[in-house]
């Protein structure tokens, strides 16, 4: 039985930066088997620190509704599951995880235990070596193709990639922004609200770096969705953008129907929702999503971490090269 | 050998010089006050990083025209009781900081104790070039009781 040993890096809102380790087992061996055994693994929580705030509790099996397919190639792994909220007693909230593969093991159960042990130890040495290599490169890779996130369907002749949903929203200049508006552009998407007291200001500080890089570019846009359209009217977004120093229409601050924005967020594989218990009244992912000209998600970055945004800045160039 | 001797002599002189000036220039009370100020600043820095730095930035410079600076901020430094109240209760009205207008709402931190507010206030008024001195918990407690 092959398994993935994952370190969850960004568990969005629920756990902050708490270290959290899960094991993903391909669904062929799991309770909730899907059609595609690679695409729909069951997630088994094997370790969680600190134990006191483990959620879900250690050992619990969760129904994974989707995840990325090319986990081994990309080194990234995103999955989502429905969670029963014990606090609000409401079922079910979609929880999105973003994990990075630190170490994955292949089947070697048929071999002798001592051989297994040696192999295991060698693997750790290899891991340390590879980690050191990455660390020395500053985690920014220049010569690889970005992964394509989401569930892929396979027809007899072709692969149908996952794309983000259709939308029709209004930006800070009262202009309607749809998929058509962003035709022929790659873009960076995020979800925020202007009165957010927690992660959003950090995200905006970092997104401002992205804006400074692409300001004036014709092939790249930024799409910041408000998840609080009741308060964040066009006028509020206009003032916010102005005060942030955004002068060109490269950066859209968009609003629309609340429910449609929340379901749109799900198509970006991130979460956004109301939560009276959360500071500011909303709960949402701090992720930046890099979307290509075919509306496929090509990168997910923690928008509160300058190091992650360095990788994003590099990946924007990598993605642009694909279209040269 | 000569070089080693030289280096150790210099080290000795430096060490003596430092301990002398410490004990001579600062009377006992001042030393205690300095230690208290340092403690406030260390605690305040941790709280600032957790509650404030997302907007006002680690550098205290704020962000564009959205979040005002604390570094060399006339609005902050001219009225410390007002600042303590803003940390607790937040702020919705427009303010002018160093001649520039800011309108973004600031959420309050009602959960903080007077001591924690005193530590944050002391940190932000004694960092990045600001040097107001300590805002003690007794003063801050009094200020907080008289918020508008």
């Amino acid at each position: 039985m092959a398994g993935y040993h994952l370190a969850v890096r960004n568990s969005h809102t629920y756990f902050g930066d708490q270290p959290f380790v899960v094991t993903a087992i391909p669904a062929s061996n799991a309770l909730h088997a899907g059609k595609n055994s690679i695409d729909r693994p069951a997630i088994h929580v094997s370790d969680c620190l600190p134990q006191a705030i483990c959620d879900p509790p250690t050992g619990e099996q969760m129904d994974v509704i989707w995840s990325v397919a090319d986990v081994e190639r990309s080194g990234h792994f995103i999955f989502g599951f429905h969670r029963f909220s014990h606090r609000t007693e409401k079922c079910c909230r979609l929880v999105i995880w973003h994990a990075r593969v630190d170490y994955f093991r292949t089947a070697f159960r048929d071999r002798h235990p001592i051989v297994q042990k040696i192999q295991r130890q060698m693997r750790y040495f290899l891991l340390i070596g590879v980690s050191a290599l990455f660390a020395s490169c500053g985690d920014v890779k220049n010569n690889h193709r970005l992964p394509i996130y989401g569930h892929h369907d396979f027809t007899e002749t072709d692969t149908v990639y996952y794309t983000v949903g259709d939308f029709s929203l209004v930006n800070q200049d009262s202009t309607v922004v749809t998929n058509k508006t962003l035709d022929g552009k790659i873009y960076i998407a995020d979800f925020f609200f202007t009165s957010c007291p927690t992660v959003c200001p950090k995200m905006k500080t970092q997104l401002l770096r992205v804006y400074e890089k692409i300001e004036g570019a014709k092939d790249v846009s930024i799409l910041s969705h408000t998840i609080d359209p009741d308060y964040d009217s066009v006028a509020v977004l206009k003032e916010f953008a102005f005060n942030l120093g955004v002068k060109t229409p490269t950066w859209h601050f968009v609003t629309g129907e609340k429910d449609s924005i929340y379901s749109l967020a799900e198509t970006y594989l991130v979460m956004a929702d109301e939560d009276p218990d959360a500071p500011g009244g909303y709960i949402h992912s701090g992720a930046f999503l890099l979307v290509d000209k075919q509306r496929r998600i090509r990168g997910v970055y923690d928008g509160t971490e300058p190091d992650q945004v360095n990788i994003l800045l590099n990946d924007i160039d990598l993605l642009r090269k694909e279209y040269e | 050998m000569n070089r080693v001797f030289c280096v150790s002599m210099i080290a000795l002189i430096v060490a003596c010089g430092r301990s002398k000036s410490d004990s001579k220039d600062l009377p006992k009370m001042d030393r205690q006050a300095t230690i208290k100020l340092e403690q406030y600043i260390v605690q305040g820095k941790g709280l600032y990083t957790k509650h404030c730095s997302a907007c006002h930035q680690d550098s205290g410079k704020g962000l564009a025209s959205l979040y005002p600076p604390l570094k060399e901020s006339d609005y902050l430094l001219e009225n410390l009781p007002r600042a303590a109240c803003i940390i607790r209760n937040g702020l919705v009205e427009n303010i002018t900081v160093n001649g520039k207008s800011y309108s973004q709402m600031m959420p309050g931190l009602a959960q903080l104790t007077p001591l924690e507010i005193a530590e944050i206030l002391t940190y932000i008024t004694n960092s990045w070039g600001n040097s107001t001195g300590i805002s003690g918990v007794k003063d801050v407690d009094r200020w907080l009781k008289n918020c508008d």
Side-chain angles (χ1 to χ4, degrees), chain B residues 1-10:
Chain B
M1 190 60 207
N2 242 343
R3 193 181 290 171
V4 172
F5 179 69
C6 233
V7 169
S8 44
M9 278 313 285
I10 290 168

Side-chain angles (χ1 to χ4, degrees), chain A residues 21 38-39 52-53 68 105 132 143 145 187 197 228 262 292 307:
Chain A
V21 180
I38 302 169
D39 270 6
I53 58 148
V68 288
R105 62 197 147 85
N143 261 325
R145 196 179 144 82
Y187 66 95
D228 181 12
Y262 294 169
D292 71 12
D307 288 352

Side-chain angles (χ1 to χ4, degrees), chain B residues 58-128:
Chain B
D58 289 331
S59 63
K61 287 181 182 166
L63 183 68
S65 303
L66 269 185
Y67 312 119
L70 303 172
K71 177 185 163 72
E72 291 156 7
S73 156
D74 55 4
Y75 186 85
L76 165 67
L77 300 172
E78 75 195 9
N79 191 339
L80 298 181
R82 177 178 64 190
C85 292
I86 293 172
I87 295 172
R88 170 172 280 180
N89 301 322
L91 189 69
V92 283
E93 66 201 45
N94 285 12
I95 58 168
T96 304
V97 180
N98 299 343
K100 208 167 150 185
S101 172
Y102 294 87
S103 59
Q104 185 69 25
M105 182 272 288
M106 169 171 156
L109 295 162
Q111 76 275 25
L112 294 185
T113 63
L115 176 62
E116 287 171 321
I117 291 174
E119 287 165 344
I120 292 176
L121 192 57
T122 300
Y123 173 69
I124 61 177
T125 54
N126 292 281
S127 302
W128 320 298

Side-chain angles (χ1 to χ4, degrees), chain A residues 20-53:
Chain A
F20 199 94
V21 180
V22 298
T23 308
I25 306 155
S28 53
N29 298 300
L31 288 171
H32 305 283
K35 277 181 191 164
N36 184 328
S37 68
I38 302 169
D39 270 6
R40 293 169 63 89
I43 303 298
H44 185 258
V45 180
S46 62
D47 194 11
C48 169
L49 300 166
Q51 291 291 335
I53 58 148

Side-chain angles (χ1 to χ4, degrees), chain A residues 194-195 197 201 205 239-240 243-244, chain B residues 54-55 57 64-66 103-104 107:
Chain A
T194 61
S195 57
T205 307
E239 190 185 358
F240 188 84
N243 285 337
L244 201 58
Chain B
C55 298
Q57 312 290 319
S65 303
L66 269 185
S103 59
Q104 185 69 25

